[in-house]
C-alpha cells in the first residue's frame, strides 16, 4: 500500500507511505485514482512525511494526479516535505501548481488533521 487516506468533511488527506519511483509510480497512480474515486471533495492534501525521494517517474505521477484534480476544481496542498523533496518540487515547478505548506503552516490552516498527522 502506497497511500493511506483520511477524510474530514470536504477535505481528503492522502498520506504517501513510501518513496514513489519508477518501479511503483504506476501503482501510486492507481491507488490515487482509487482513493479519489466516487468522492466529492473540494480540497486534497498529499502528506509526504514518510517519503525520502521521488524520481522523475514519481514526479510525473504527482503531476498526473494533480492535473486530474485541477480539472475538477479541487484545491491541492502538499505538506511534510523534507529538504530534498522541497528542492525537487521547486526545481520541477510543482510549487506553481500545488500549494506547498510546512507542517506548522498546514496545521494552523487545517487543525482538524492535527491528530492524523502527528500519529
Amino acid at each position: 500500500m502506497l497511500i493511506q487516506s483520511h477524510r474530514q468533511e470536504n477535505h481528503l488527506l492522502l498520506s504517501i507511505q513510501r518513496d514513489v519511483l519508477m518501479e511503483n509510480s504506476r501503482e501510486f497512480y492507481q491507488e490515487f485514482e482509487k482513493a479519489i474515486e466516487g468522492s466529492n471533495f473540494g480540497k486534497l492534501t498529499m502528506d509526504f512525511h514518510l517519503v525520502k525521494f521521488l524520481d522523475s517517474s514519481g514526479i510525473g505521477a504527482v503531476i498526473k494526479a494533480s492535473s486530474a484534480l485541477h480539472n475538477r476544481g479541487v484545491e491541492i496542498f502538499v505538506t511534510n516535505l523534507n529538504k530534498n523533496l522541497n528542492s525537487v518540487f521547486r526545481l520541477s515547478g510543482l510549487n506553481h501548481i500545488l500549494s506547498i505548506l510546512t507542517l506548522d503552516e498546514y496545521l494552523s490552516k487545517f487543525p482538524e488533521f492535527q491528530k492524523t498527522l502527528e500519529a
Side-chain angles (χ1 to χ4, degrees):
M1 175 186 276
L2 278 167
I3 299 174
Q4 190 174 44
S5 63
H6 312 276
R7 179 115 187 214
Q8 293 284 341
E9 296 176 25
N10 191 33
H11 194 149
L12 184 63
L13 171 69
L14 301 179
S15 294
I16 315 307
Q17 301 295 298
R18 60 180 195 245
D19 295 354
V20 184
L21 309 169
M22 186 171 58
E23 308 83 65
N24 64 5
S25 61
R26 180 171 289 173
E27 178 188 354
F28 167 83
Y29 190 74
Q30 288 170 342
E31 286 190 29
F32 174 84
E33 283 186 313
K34 193 173 190 175
I36 67 168
E37 189 176 62
S39 295
N40 190 15
F41 51 88
K43 295 179 181 82
L44 179 127
T45 298
M46 288 186 252
D47 169 31
F48 282 87
H49 84 279
L50 294 174
V51 178
K52 292 178 182 63
F53 185 71
L54 290 177
D55 68 8
S56 58
S57 296
I59 293 166
V62 170
I63 291 170
K64 186 176 177 182
S66 61
S67 293
L69 294 172
H70 275 296
N71 294 338
R72 291 173 45 181
V74 175
E75 220 179 332
I76 306 166
F77 300 92
V78 172
T79 192
N80 262 333
L81 295 176
N82 65 32
K83 188 177 180 179
N84 291 334
L85 280 181
N86 197 23
S87 294
V88 167
F89 271 62
R90 292 188 190 288
L91 288 170
S92 65
L94 283 169
N95 60 315
H96 296 294
I97 57 174
L98 306 169
S99 296
I100 299 174
L101 303 172
T102 66
L103 181 59
D104 289 341
E105 290 169 335
Y106 184 77
L107 291 176
S108 71
K109 190 171 180 119
F110 304 108
E112 63 271 22
F113 287 111
Q114 178 108 27
K115 288 182 182 172
T116 304
L117 290 175
E118 293 181 346

